[in-house]
Amino acid sequence: MEARKKVAFYTLGCKLNFSETSTIARNFQEEGFDRVDFEEVADIYVINTCSVTENADKQFKQIVRKALKHNDKAFVAAVGCYAQLKPEELAAVDGVDLVLGATEKFKITDYINDLSKNDMGEVHSCEISEADFYVGSYSIGDRTRAFLKVQDGCDYKCTYCTIPLARGISRSDTLQNVLDNAREISSQNIREIVLTGVNIGDYGKGEFGNKKHEHTFYELVQELDKVEGIERLRISSIEPNLLKNETIEFVSKSRTFVPHFHIPLQSGSNDILKLMRRRYLREIYTERVNKIREVMPHACIGVDVIVGFPGETDEHFLETYNFLSEMDISYLHVFTYSERDNTAAATMGGVVPINVRNKRSKMLRGLSVKKRRAFYEGQLGSTRTVLFEGDNREGYITGFTENYVKIKMPWNPELINTLQEVKLLTIDENGLVKAEFTDVTLINNGISNAFEALLA
Ligand code: SF4
């Protein structure tokens, strides 16, 4: 009997890519392949690429070399956003056999027949306008949390962004499918589901192939909250213009949705927001943050921001810095602008020198550290629920509270994938929060005593 073929995966980029890799991997398994780790010998290596990654081409070549080091006869396939945007470039990389674009990636097993290596990578790509159908996905990230895709593509035209070119128009999974997937995930003993998509606030558009909204994001949130068995739901990232007050209010009273919002700002200057062709001004952003703070003072609010966009003067940057400095937010994800082919921003004037971009990025990253610390300090003394994760990090187990405070406690494997109530005590030198159990049974089990001994 012929041995079962082995397939390994490498994922670059966002949670959405991770959820799609899981779906592609399940397709392989259904076709009789065994999934192995990327560090092992496999017959096929699939690389799910990202176009947002800095030096995407260099990184891709390194990963291909790594795969071929494990097995120089292995079949290498590339899928994902970069494969859609630059298929010929990827196909020309030594050792690559197959490149699949946005419409083909979920059919990858149909393209893999005899596994013989090609001299030049074979490309099966499409015009991105053809990527108008929806493929549902979810992934189990670690043993505690799953990423559930609810929406794909984007109809916005932000001038710096290649995602609409790589993923196509905005379209959504049906409400029924999302609810079924959520039930399926929670039946696998997963405690937390993170909703993912390209522009999830646009949920409902393209459901049933109809460009009108069939359901809204607010309805999705309400329905998911009713699904039995789900313990925690997290909204990953949502555009400020699409985060409605009704959703914020619902989350504040919800059984499952946690008080954590990640809202892209990109710039605190209205001039730059207009150049970026974002669909809001800074005043809307302030309103959203104020609304969240009004109903959930303890909520965690994360912000995406881009520095060095063309035309961003020192004054514009200072506007962003001061805006964020004064705003009651909890952390920043800082992106340094870099030119992308086929985007409007790539040909705009007012190019910011690289050293200035880097300096601005460093300033905002410094501000982020201060913001996170201030947020954590404000949480000390409060009682929260932690979902403990699986890794033993130098004798500690870590996990996140509902409002995204990272907690560490002495390692105890029994805690993995459990939700525990803890009191937040102090912040350690690495910026993690030490805590103690509030449950006397755990204290009597010696877990807390061991922790106190470590604290002493
Ligand atoms: S909202 Fe703008 S930045 Fe986000 S995916 Fe759509 S076009 Fe890109």
Side-chain angles (χ1 to χ4, degrees), residues 421 437-448:
E421 207 174 76
F437 291 110
T438 54
D439 183 339
V440 282
T441 54
L442 290 170
I443 294 170
N444 290 340
N445 282 341
I447 292 169
S448 190

PDB file of all heavy atoms in Angstrom, residues 421 437-448:
ATOM      1  N   GLU A 421     -11.249  33.180  37.695  1.00  0.00           N
ATOM      2  CA  GLU A 421     -11.362  34.539  38.204  1.00  0.00           C
ATOM      3  C   GLU A 421     -10.118  34.889  39.012  1.00  0.00           C
ATOM      4  O   GLU A 421      -9.698  34.090  39.870  1.00  0.00           O
ATOM      5  CB  GLU A 421     -12.599  34.619  39.095  1.00  0.00           C
ATOM      6  CG  GLU A 421     -13.180  35.983  39.147  1.00  0.00           C
ATOM      7  CD  GLU A 421     -14.480  35.992  39.910  1.00  0.00           C
ATOM      8  OE1 GLU A 421     -14.432  35.925  41.156  1.00  0.00           O
ATOM      9  OE2 GLU A 421     -15.533  36.053  39.255  1.00  0.00           O
ATOM     10  N   PHE A 437      -5.617  34.061  42.599  1.00  0.00           N
ATOM     11  CA  PHE A 437      -6.955  33.507  42.415  1.00  0.00           C
ATOM     12  C   PHE A 437      -7.909  34.073  43.451  1.00  0.00           C
ATOM     13  O   PHE A 437      -7.528  34.312  44.586  1.00  0.00           O
ATOM     14  CB  PHE A 437      -6.929  31.986  42.558  1.00  0.00           C
ATOM     15  CG  PHE A 437      -6.200  31.330  41.421  1.00  0.00           C
ATOM     16  CD1 PHE A 437      -4.970  30.731  41.634  1.00  0.00           C
ATOM     17  CD2 PHE A 437      -6.741  31.322  40.150  1.00  0.00           C
ATOM     18  CE1 PHE A 437      -4.293  30.139  40.591  1.00  0.00           C
ATOM     19  CE2 PHE A 437      -6.073  30.735  39.104  1.00  0.00           C
ATOM     20  CZ  PHE A 437      -4.844  30.135  39.315  1.00  0.00           C
ATOM     21  N   THR A 438      -9.151  34.225  43.051  1.00  0.00           N
ATOM     22  CA  THR A 438     -10.155  34.645  44.027  1.00  0.00           C
ATOM     23  C   THR A 438     -10.919  33.432  44.545  1.00  0.00           C
ATOM     24  O   THR A 438     -11.603  33.502  45.542  1.00  0.00           O
ATOM     25  CB  THR A 438     -11.168  35.615  43.376  1.00  0.00           C
ATOM     26  OG1 THR A 438     -11.691  34.974  42.222  1.00  0.00           O
ATOM     27  CG2 THR A 438     -10.528  36.916  43.006  1.00  0.00           C
ATOM     28  N   ASP A 439     -10.767  32.290  43.831  1.00  0.00           N
ATOM     29  CA  ASP A 439     -11.515  31.081  44.188  1.00  0.00           C
ATOM     30  C   ASP A 439     -10.780  30.338  45.299  1.00  0.00           C
ATOM     31  O   ASP A 439      -9.643  29.907  45.133  1.00  0.00           O
ATOM     32  CB  ASP A 439     -11.615  30.201  42.924  1.00  0.00           C
ATOM     33  CG  ASP A 439     -12.436  28.949  43.168  1.00  0.00           C
ATOM     34  OD1 ASP A 439     -12.570  28.558  44.357  1.00  0.00           O
ATOM     35  OD2 ASP A 439     -12.924  28.378  42.190  1.00  0.00           O
ATOM     36  N   VAL A 440     -11.449  30.179  46.460  1.00  0.00           N
ATOM     37  CA  VAL A 440     -10.785  29.563  47.601  1.00  0.00           C
ATOM     38  C   VAL A 440     -10.376  28.116  47.328  1.00  0.00           C
ATOM     39  O   VAL A 440      -9.388  27.637  47.875  1.00  0.00           O
ATOM     40  CB  VAL A 440     -11.657  29.591  48.873  1.00  0.00           C
ATOM     41  CG1 VAL A 440     -11.636  30.957  49.507  1.00  0.00           C
ATOM     42  CG2 VAL A 440     -13.042  29.100  48.585  1.00  0.00           C
ATOM     43  N   THR A 441     -11.112  27.414  46.457  1.00  0.00           N
ATOM     44  CA  THR A 441     -10.746  26.013  46.206  1.00  0.00           C
ATOM     45  C   THR A 441      -9.372  25.946  45.546  1.00  0.00           C
ATOM     46  O   THR A 441      -8.581  25.076  45.834  1.00  0.00           O
ATOM     47  CB  THR A 441     -11.777  25.299  45.319  1.00  0.00           C
ATOM     48  OG1 THR A 441     -11.933  26.058  44.139  1.00  0.00           O
ATOM     49  CG2 THR A 441     -13.094  25.109  46.022  1.00  0.00           C
ATOM     50  N   LEU A 442      -9.097  26.891  44.663  1.00  0.00           N
ATOM     51  CA  LEU A 442      -7.794  26.906  44.016  1.00  0.00           C
ATOM     52  C   LEU A 442      -6.717  27.290  45.031  1.00  0.00           C
ATOM     53  O   LEU A 442      -5.623  26.747  45.027  1.00  0.00           O
ATOM     54  CB  LEU A 442      -7.784  27.878  42.842  1.00  0.00           C
ATOM     55  CG  LEU A 442      -8.631  27.431  41.646  1.00  0.00           C
ATOM     56  CD1 LEU A 442      -8.753  28.545  40.634  1.00  0.00           C
ATOM     57  CD2 LEU A 442      -8.019  26.214  40.990  1.00  0.00           C
ATOM     58  N   ILE A 443      -7.085  28.218  45.917  1.00  0.00           N
ATOM     59  CA  ILE A 443      -6.107  28.621  46.928  1.00  0.00           C
ATOM     60  C   ILE A 443      -5.785  27.410  47.815  1.00  0.00           C
ATOM     61  O   ILE A 443      -4.633  27.098  48.081  1.00  0.00           O
ATOM     62  CB  ILE A 443      -6.654  29.790  47.787  1.00  0.00           C
ATOM     63  CG1 ILE A 443      -6.806  31.026  46.888  1.00  0.00           C
ATOM     64  CG2 ILE A 443      -5.730  30.091  48.961  1.00  0.00           C
ATOM     65  CD1 ILE A 443      -7.539  32.177  47.510  1.00  0.00           C
ATOM     66  N   ASN A 444      -6.855  26.659  48.187  1.00  0.00           N
ATOM     67  CA  ASN A 444      -6.629  25.499  49.044  1.00  0.00           C
ATOM     68  C   ASN A 444      -5.836  24.408  48.337  1.00  0.00           C
ATOM     69  O   ASN A 444      -5.153  23.621  48.962  1.00  0.00           O
ATOM     70  CB  ASN A 444      -7.965  24.929  49.538  1.00  0.00           C
ATOM     71  CG  ASN A 444      -8.599  25.893  50.524  1.00  0.00           C
ATOM     72  OD1 ASN A 444      -7.910  26.737  51.079  1.00  0.00           O
ATOM     73  ND2 ASN A 444      -9.903  25.775  50.711  1.00  0.00           N
ATOM     74  N   ASN A 445      -5.923  24.393  46.999  1.00  0.00           N
ATOM     75  CA  ASN A 445      -5.135  23.411  46.250  1.00  0.00           C
ATOM     76  C   ASN A 445      -3.660  23.772  46.200  1.00  0.00           C
ATOM     77  O   ASN A 445      -2.872  23.066  45.603  1.00  0.00           O
ATOM     78  CB  ASN A 445      -5.647  23.312  44.809  1.00  0.00           C
ATOM     79  CG  ASN A 445      -6.904  22.482  44.764  1.00  0.00           C
ATOM     80  OD1 ASN A 445      -7.176  21.734  45.693  1.00  0.00           O
ATOM     81  ND2 ASN A 445      -7.655  22.634  43.695  1.00  0.00           N
ATOM     82  N   GLY A 446      -3.323  24.885  46.799  1.00  0.00           N
ATOM     83  CA  GLY A 446      -1.916  25.247  46.856  1.00  0.00           C
ATOM     84  C   GLY A 446      -1.438  26.062  45.684  1.00  0.00           C
ATOM     85  O   GLY A 446      -0.305  26.495  45.635  1.00  0.00           O
ATOM     86  N   ILE A 447      -2.330  26.279  44.702  1.00  0.00           N
ATOM     87  CA  ILE A 447      -1.890  27.007  43.511  1.00  0.00           C
ATOM     88  C   ILE A 447      -1.494  28.428  43.899  1.00  0.00           C
ATOM     89  O   ILE A 447      -0.441  28.932  43.534  1.00  0.00           O
ATOM     90  CB  ILE A 447      -3.012  27.010  42.458  1.00  0.00           C
ATOM     91  CG1 ILE A 447      -3.193  25.584  41.935  1.00  0.00           C
ATOM     92  CG2 ILE A 447      -2.686  27.943  41.310  1.00  0.00           C
ATOM     93  CD1 ILE A 447      -4.427  25.397  41.102  1.00  0.00           C
ATOM     94  N   SER A 448      -2.355  29.037  44.711  1.00  0.00           N
ATOM     95  CA  SER A 448      -2.082  30.409  45.070  1.00  0.00           C
ATOM     96  C   SER A 448      -0.876  30.504  46.001  1.00  0.00           C
ATOM     97  O   SER A 448      -0.091  31.429  45.919  1.00  0.00           O
ATOM     98  CB  SER A 448      -3.308  31.011  45.735  1.00  0.00           C
ATOM     99  OG  SER A 448      -3.139  32.380  45.871  1.00  0.00           O
TER     100      SER A 448
END
